[in-house]
Amino acid sequence: MSHVSVIGLGAMGSAIAAAMLHSGLDVTVWNRTAPKAEAFAKRGAHPATTASAAVEASPLTIVCVDDYAATLAVLDTAEVTATLGERTIVQFSTGTPEEARDGERWAKRHGAEWLDGAILGYPREIGGAALIFVSGDAACFERHQLLLAALTNELRYLGPAVGAAAALDLAVLSYYIGAHLGLVHGALVCESEQVSPKALTSVIVDSLPSDVSEIAHLGDALLRNDFSQPGASLAVYSGILDRLLAQAQSAGVNAEIPEFADRLVKRGMAAGLAGEEIVSIIRTLRRKH
């Protein structure tokens, strides 16, 4: 029996298998297209001929395919479920918290355990700096922690709520999307005045140490639900958005991004949050019970 099986040998799955081999583990691999698995045989892995054979080969199977639908297309077969007893599945395919809960319930029905994971990093960072979250049963995580640590220097266990890893992954991606949309509008502003986008990105990079401190401060405010000590208040950001919208109108720049932000900020202003942190608008966005 090998230590771990890896199902899915795309860029990330291949990096996972390679990191496991580099750590001296006995690794079984399976991929829908056999040549990828066979290529790992030259590196010391055992290519399985079927997904069920891969699961049967190890107490722990890591799945890294496109999404949950692809995961279940591979695993939810009579052949695979017959091999699942007392085994653990670690799911690194992308999904939602509800899909993670569904996966855990599915595994339990077949006598297996399920850990849900998310990877923040590129394939080249696997085995080193990639940040990896895992959630699910605590005892199960503890049994496999050392093996999973072969994948990263930054392995973080989020607790027994199996949907936590997917939730945090989506939350971080939400932050990135907001930041990147801001970068897009910033580039439009620069183009309208013949300022190089390189100048914009250079200033952003140079300001990162201060940004890190501010993000930590805002995170603490969100944790306490206390927004009364702003570095820059909602009213300040409202004024910034007024200027962005005025510039867009005068320069003929598309204003969809600041218009969206302005609607949220003005809603917070109307709710009496003008003197609080910008993230205080979470109070206007929370679901009412």
Side-chain angles (χ1 to χ4, degrees):
M1 178 172 281
S2 57
H3 296 108
V4 60
S5 294
V6 179
I7 288 180
L9 295 173
M12 190 63 78
S14 291
I16 288 170
M20 293 295 188
L21 288 168
H22 182 72
S23 294
L25 296 169
D26 198 358
V27 181
T28 296
V29 294
W30 181 84
N31 193 70
R32 284 185 184 275
T33 53
K36 285 189 176 181
E38 291 165 359
F40 269 90
K42 299 176 183 178
R43 304 169 71 172
H46 309 291
T49 56
T50 64
S52 59
V55 172
E56 190 172 20
S58 308
L60 178 70
T61 294
I62 294 174
V63 181
C64 190
V65 293
D66 288 341
D67 51 31
Y68 267 77
T71 295
L72 290 178
V74 171
L75 298 183
D76 196 15
T77 68
E79 294 78 14
V80 173
T81 55
T83 70
L84 282 173
E86 299 183 357
R87 282 172 169 75
T88 298
I89 302 295
V90 178
Q91 162 75 318
F92 280 131
S93 307
T94 56
T96 66
E98 186 57 33
E99 286 178 313
R101 288 187 285 271
D102 288 343
E104 183 182 55
R105 287 189 286 265
W106 172 85
K108 286 181 177 179
R109 286 198 302 272
H110 297 289
E113 294 184 283
W114 182 279
L115 294 173
D116 214 73
I119 300 171
L120 288 184
Y122 298 101
R124 66 177 181 270
E125 296 175 309
I126 296 296
L131 178 56
I132 296 181
F133 314 134
V134 178
S135 54
D137 182 78
C140 181
F141 173 76
E142 288 173 5
R143 284 198 306 275
H144 301 296
Q145 181 176 2
L146 288 178
L147 188 149
L148 292 172
L151 300 179
T152 177
N153 299 327
E154 291 287 342
L155 180 65
R156 299 186 185 181
Y157 175 61
L158 301 180
V162 75
L168 187 55
D169 184 44
L170 290 173
V172 173
L173 292 173
S174 174
Y175 170 78
Y176 287 155
I177 288 169
H180 293 162
L181 288 177
L183 181 62
V184 168
H185 187 77
L188 289 174
V189 173
C190 286
E191 287 177 3
S192 72
E193 295 293 334
Q194 292 78 52
V195 177
S196 168
K198 185 68 175 178
L200 170 63
T201 56
S202 175
V203 169
I204 291 172
V205 169
D206 289 343
S207 68
L208 284 177
S210 175
D211 290 345
V212 168
S213 175
E214 178 66 4
I215 291 167
H217 168 72
L218 294 176
D220 288 341
L222 287 163
L223 179 65
R224 299 191 313 271
N225 199 34
D226 178 1
F227 309 105
S228 60
Q229 296 181 317
S233 68
L234 196 66
V236 169
Y237 279 98
S238 179
I240 291 170
L241 284 161
D242 287 342
R243 294 193 295 278
L244 281 169
L245 292 170
Q247 190 275 341
Q249 183 175 17
S250 66
V253 170
N254 182 290
E256 291 174 76
I257 294 171
E259 284 171 350
F260 171 71
D262 188 59
R263 287 196 298 273
L264 297 179
V265 167
K266 292 300 192 289
R267 188 189 307 173
M269 296 283 287
L273 305 176
E276 300 195 357
E277 295 278 11
I278 185 171
V279 293
S280 66
I281 64 171
I282 195 171
R283 290 174 169 166
T284 70
L285 300 174
R286 285 182 175 130
R287 183 183 303 173
K288 303 299 182 183
H289 296 286

